[in-house]
Amino acid sequence: MAGLQRRLAEFAVARNWQQYHTPKNLAAALSVEASELVEIFQWLTPEESAAVMDDPESAHRVTDEVADVLAYLLQLCEVLGIDALAALDAKIERNERRFPIT
Amino acid sequence: MAGLQRRLAEFAVARNWQQYHTPKNLAAALSVEASELVEIFQWLTPEESAAVMDDPESAHRVTDEVADVLAYLLQLCEVLGIDALAALDAKIERNERRFPIT
Amino acid sequence: MAGLQRRLAEFAVARNWQQYHTPKNLAAALSVEASELVEIFQWLTPEESAAVMDDPESAHRVTDEVADVLAYLLQLCEVLGIDALAALDAKIERNERRFPIT
Amino acid sequence: MAGLQRRLAEFAVARNWQQYHTPKNLAAALSVEASELVEIFQWLTPEESAAVMDDPESAHRVTDEVADVLAYLLQLCEVLGIDALAALDAKIERNERRFPIT
């Protein structure tokens, strides 16, 4: 994941796109991509949504949007200096205490 | 990342939450968390947004929302059988061809 | 507005689309349309965003997305029996007490 | 609706909030409020979502978020000079041609 984050950063530098990559803009772009994922599922029943990978075209579309979400998340982490994996690790530990197994 | 994805899956199983984790619901939850990131930045100027990590409370809030977005993204990938890193790798290669350096 | 809400309801009935119009799905569709509005502005500076209506194509696009957001909001209100104008009137009154003019 | 739009504009002026109300920021705030609506429904089944107004607390929460979405939509229309009802009227006419009744 660190390698992908670096390639994304180099990609933006090479195209002089860093000027657009304020945290505010990247957060907006991330939410737009997340909504494109929601759009795929918006009229599906829960059962239909569970079968979305059975259709190659839908499967490709979902996979592509997942990549877009991860891309903007890593670019946001890059400009903010956040370690996403460490953040998630800490969050899971907090949640394990917050929601004990009953 | 694979280890975190597995821990999230075990976390959901242990709490019997998989019933809620349809792809449709996880995509919605992902977009809700992405919007919570946007909310932090919504009234900030570009310059203020770039300084968001200087304030410890904001820094913690942003880091926490990043973790939430990644958590739902990995849970979505888990139920759909998507390899997020491979998806992003393929996407970057497509984008390198689509936006050649001029 | 009541007339438009009724036309939207008749439009859905005539096409047998009510089956898709659960509150959950309409809320998702509303958020997707709101994100399409965000997408128009995501890389713009504050100043550029203020001039978005100067370009006829952008102006049309923004106007169209505004219509989509209002359409789904009214359809959601229709299925839930919410009076959107009364809800907003009550909200403004609460906010006038909550944020007194200093 | 025009009266509510005017009250919202006066509300912002009286608190000197117009400086924050760029179209970009208002679109982001609108999408954040739309996501707060989605959040209410995110783990509900379609059937549970259809019954959301039966519980007074949920009903209040949904009504409040509907008001927030409409508030930001009208404030966006105010700063951009868009007539939301005319936009929706035009959109419905286009959709009636685009999706003829079969």
Side-chain angles (χ1 to χ4, degrees):
Chain A
M1 196 156 102
L4 291 167
Q5 187 168 325
R6 200 165 45 243
R7 272 174 72 196
L8 287 165
E10 290 165 359
F11 186 94
V13 168
R15 284 152 190 84
N16 203 22
W17 287 357
Q18 311 119 284
Q19 57 182 312
Y20 303 110
H21 288 187
T22 62
K24 181 182 174 108
N25 288 1
L26 289 169
L30 171 65
S31 82
V32 167
E33 296 301 335
S35 280
E36 292 183 5
L37 258 176
V38 171
E39 193 181 11
I40 299 172
F41 296 104
Q42 68 185 346
W43 305 121
L44 303 187
T45 63
E47 296 72 28
E48 288 166 344
S49 92
V52 79
M53 301 303 281
D54 294 351
D55 173 56
E57 198 186 308
S58 297
H60 177 77
R61 204 174 150 206
V62 172
T63 305
D64 200 48
E65 297 299 348
V66 162
D68 284 337
V69 170
L70 184 56
Y72 283 120
L73 187 66
L74 293 182
Q75 290 176 285
L76 181 66
C77 287
E78 177 76 16
V79 300
L80 293 177
I82 291 174
D83 179 334
L85 296 180
L88 179 52
D89 185 71
K91 179 86 187 196
I92 294 174
E93 281 187 24
R94 278 202 304 281
N95 277 345
E96 283 170 344
R97 285 193 297 272
R98 192 174 155 208
F99 303 103
I101 302 170
T102 50
Chain B
M1 198 156 100
L4 290 167
Q5 187 168 325
R6 200 165 44 243
R7 271 173 72 197
L8 287 165
E10 289 165 0
F11 186 94
V13 168
R15 284 151 191 85
N16 203 23
W17 286 358
Q18 312 121 285
Q19 56 182 314
Y20 303 110
H21 288 188
T22 63
K24 181 183 175 106
N25 288 1
L26 289 168
L30 171 64
S31 81
V32 167
E33 297 301 335
S35 281
E36 292 183 5
L37 259 176
V38 171
E39 193 180 12
I40 298 172
F41 297 103
Q42 66 185 348
W43 305 120
L44 302 187
T45 63
E47 296 71 29
E48 288 166 344
S49 92
V52 79
M53 302 302 282
D54 294 352
D55 173 56
E57 197 187 309
S58 297
H60 177 77
R61 203 175 151 207
V62 172
T63 305
D64 200 46
E65 297 298 349
V66 162
D68 283 336
V69 170
L70 184 56
Y72 283 120
L73 187 67
L74 293 182
Q75 290 177 285
L76 181 65
C77 287
E78 176 76 16
V79 299
L80 294 177
I82 291 175
D83 179 335
L85 296 179
L88 179 52
D89 184 72
K91 180 86 188 195
I92 294 174
E93 282 187 23
R94 279 202 304 281
N95 277 345
E96 283 169 344
R97 285 192 299 271
R98 192 175 155 206
F99 303 103
I101 302 169
T102 50
Chain C
M1 198 156 101
L4 290 168
Q5 187 169 325
R6 200 165 45 244
R7 272 174 72 199
L8 287 165
E10 290 165 0
F11 186 94
V13 168
R15 284 152 189 83
N16 203 23
W17 287 357
Q18 313 119 283
Q19 57 183 313
Y20 303 110
H21 288 188
T22 62
K24 180 181 175 107
N25 288 0
L26 289 168
L30 171 64
S31 81
V32 167
E33 296 301 335
S35 280
E36 292 183 4
L37 259 175
V38 172
E39 193 181 11
I40 298 172
F41 296 104
Q42 66 186 348
W43 305 122
L44 302 187
T45 63
E47 296 71 29
E48 288 166 343
S49 93
V52 79
M53 302 303 281
D54 294 351
D55 172 57
E57 198 187 306
S58 297
H60 176 77
R61 204 174 150 207
V62 172
T63 305
D64 201 47
E65 297 299 348
V66 162
D68 283 336
V69 170
L70 183 56
Y72 283 120
L73 186 67
L74 293 183
Q75 290 177 285
L76 181 66
C77 288
E78 177 76 17
V79 300
L80 293 177
I82 291 174
D83 180 334
L85 296 179
L88 179 52
D89 185 72
K91 179 86 188 196
I92 294 174
E93 282 188 23
R94 278 202 304 280
N95 278 345
E96 283 169 344
R97 285 192 299 272
R98 192 176 154 206
F99 303 102
I101 302 170
T102 50
Chain D
M1 197 155 102
L4 290 168
Q5 188 169 324
R6 200 164 44 243
R7 272 174 71 198
L8 287 165
E10 291 164 359
F11 186 94
V13 168
R15 285 153 189 83
N16 202 22
W17 288 357
Q18 312 122 283
Q19 56 182 313
Y20 303 110
H21 287 188
T22 63
K24 181 183 175 105
N25 288 0
L26 289 168
L30 171 64
S31 81
V32 167
E33 295 301 336
S35 280
E36 292 183 4
L37 259 176
V38 171
E39 192 180 12
I40 299 172
F41 296 104
Q42 65 187 349
W43 305 121
L44 302 187
T45 64
E47 296 70 30
E48 288 166 345
S49 92
V52 79
M53 302 302 281
D54 294 351
D55 172 57
E57 198 187 307
S58 298
H60 177 78
R61 203 175 151 206
V62 172
T63 304
D64 200 47
E65 297 299 347
V66 162
D68 284 336
V69 170
L70 184 56
Y72 283 120
L73 187 67
L74 293 182
Q75 290 176 285
L76 181 66
C77 288
E78 177 75 17
V79 300
L80 293 177
I82 291 175
D83 180 333
L85 295 179
L88 179 52
D89 185 72
K91 179 87 188 195
I92 294 174
E93 283 187 22
R94 279 203 304 280
N95 277 344
E96 283 170 343
R97 285 193 299 272
R98 193 175 153 207
F99 303 103
I101 302 169
T102 49

